[in-house]
Amino acid sequence: MPQHDTFKAWTWHEPGEPRSLTLEDHEMRPAEAGEVIVDTRAIGLNPVDWKFIAMESRLWQPGQIPGVDAAGVVIDAGPGVDHLAPGDRIAVHTSLAGPGTFATRLRLPARAVMRLPDGIDFITAAAFPCPVLTAWQAIEKLPVTTGAHLLVSGGSGSVGRIIVQLAKARGFHVIAMSSPERHELLYALGADEAISSPHQLTAPLFAVIDTVNGEHARQLSQHLGANGHVVCVQDRLDGPVAPPFERALSQHEVALGALHMTGTDQDWQALVNAGETLLNQVAEGALSLSDVAVDEFDALPTRLSELKHGPRQAGKLVIRVDG
């Protein structure tokens, strides 16, 4: 890579709407130790992107490049990086602290990068990291208990539908909750039951994985039996959900960003290994992702604004970047 390469990036300067991002030139230095430089081919949009654009954060200063999910081609590998090389096709979920993925070139920690199998295109790969790795972290919180009743709220969302499939593969009795018009999809994904209200539950649950918010998770925890588990994917619980010693419930939270702040190399190796295994399952047709809507790089702020203000979408938004 040239010593002084430039690239385009959608850039943040102060809290505001996604449409306030400005397209600017940035300089890219060669990869340093433990890093790779990637030529971006596709960018996945997530709700956390517009949430951080709107807020004051000690992590961001003017000139920040937002974005956490992307796919592309390695063009430079720094010292100490021996598992990746120029030409490798990759996907990544990177740190909110940045530099982020809303750019035509990416500077990435090599330990967070997942290699793509031949059967995965860049659009699919960019839609993969946040929802699938989040789902994997959620299901990893639970001890595998064959036949145990597991409720997945928001089962038809981009994270929920992955949890349904992973839970079924691990032998749980999967109860997926969503609006009635999505029940046929949930059965196709492997759910044993599809419901639209917790009032339809007929037996105590072993576990709840909630993808809505902390208060929703608290309400659903009322349906847990003794030694049950509640896992929060969005938000977190602000205290115990049951009186002491009454049901002895275990409470869990999920946050991909925690690994960027406190994860060890071993933690990252486990996540990347799981991600690459799941990418192969997508390539083989054994794991189904959400439908994807695609637009061009120039439309990124507009599409992110629609993700923030428009009706909740069942699919995933991906931005194509010309290679």
Side-chain angles (χ1 to χ4, degrees):
M1 192 182 77
Q3 290 296 308
H4 297 285
D5 196 12
T6 60
F7 63 97
K8 297 286 187 182
W10 288 104
T11 307
W12 179 95
H13 288 280
E14 61 183 7
E17 289 292 315
R19 293 176 188 270
S20 69
L21 298 177
T22 57
L23 189 59
E24 300 178 8
D25 290 321
H26 292 251
E27 183 176 317
M28 180 66 79
R29 305 181 313 278
E32 298 180 359
E35 294 181 337
V36 291
I37 307 301
V38 171
D39 188 28
T40 315
R41 300 300 175 85
I43 301 164
L45 302 186
N46 298 289
V48 71
D49 299 326
W50 59 256
K51 290 176 183 178
F52 256 70
I53 289 168
M55 67 188 291
E56 294 273 7
S57 171
R58 61 180 176 81
L59 294 177
W60 285 14
Q61 298 297 321
Q64 168 76 20
I65 303 171
V68 291
D69 282 0
V73 179
V74 175
I75 58 174
D76 189 23
V81 178
D82 54 12
H83 65 293
L84 295 165
D88 285 349
R89 302 166 64 253
I90 64 91
V92 70
H93 176 86
T94 195
S95 171
L96 278 165
T101 60
F102 290 1
T104 58
R105 291 278 172 90
L106 310 175
R107 175 181 297 276
L108 301 172
R111 69 178 186 175
V113 168
M114 298 170 287
R115 294 163 297 182
L116 302 183
D118 290 340
I120 294 287
D121 60 75
F122 291 119
I123 297 298
T124 302
F128 175 94
C130 193
V132 180
L133 296 179
T134 296
W136 180 80
Q137 284 192 328
I139 200 69
E140 281 287 295
K141 299 286 186 179
L142 302 177
V144 175
T145 308
T146 303
H149 284 219
L150 165 62
L151 174 66
V152 182
S153 76
S156 64
S158 58
V159 175
R161 65 183 291 154
I162 303 299
I163 296 173
V164 167
Q165 295 171 81
L166 297 181
K168 184 62 177 177
R170 296 184 183 208
F172 289 102
H173 179 93
V174 180
I175 306 167
M177 188 163 68
S178 75
S179 56
E181 61 268 19
R182 307 295 288 176
H183 287 182
E184 184 177 347
L185 166 66
L186 295 173
Y187 284 122
L189 294 173
D192 297 286
E193 300 179 47
I195 63 174
S196 53
S197 167
H199 296 103
Q200 297 172 258
L201 295 168
T202 58
L205 299 169
F206 170 72
V208 168
I209 301 180
D210 180 72
T211 67
V212 180
N213 58 47
E215 180 56 34
H216 195 253
R218 177 176 292 279
Q219 294 171 9
L220 293 179
S221 69
Q222 299 172 17
H223 299 274
L224 290 169
N227 298 306
H229 299 260
V230 55
V231 182
C232 291
V233 173
Q234 293 274 12
D235 200 7
R236 68 196 301 259
L237 294 161
D238 58 5
V241 296
F245 312 115
E246 180 187 84
R247 285 180 288 160
L249 303 181
S250 297
Q251 300 176 199
H252 312 269
E253 61 188 36
V254 175
L256 275 175
L259 259 67
H260 291 289
M261 292 186 286
T262 59
T264 65
D265 287 343
Q266 290 75 22
D267 294 331
W268 275 106
Q269 190 63 62
L271 185 73
V272 167
N273 287 346
E276 291 183 350
T277 296
L278 293 166
L279 280 163
N280 276 290
Q281 291 180 16
V282 174
E284 295 163 0
L287 185 68
S288 173
L289 304 183
S290 297
D291 294 336
V292 175
V294 182
D295 212 329
E296 304 303 320
F297 189 65
D298 288 348
L300 189 154
T302 299
R303 297 312 299 269
L304 190 58
S305 180
E306 292 171 357
L307 180 62
K308 178 179 181 179
H309 295 290
R312 186 174 180 180
Q313 301 186 16
K316 180 80 173 176
L317 287 171
V318 172
I319 297 298
R320 177 171 40 227
V321 183
D322 291 336

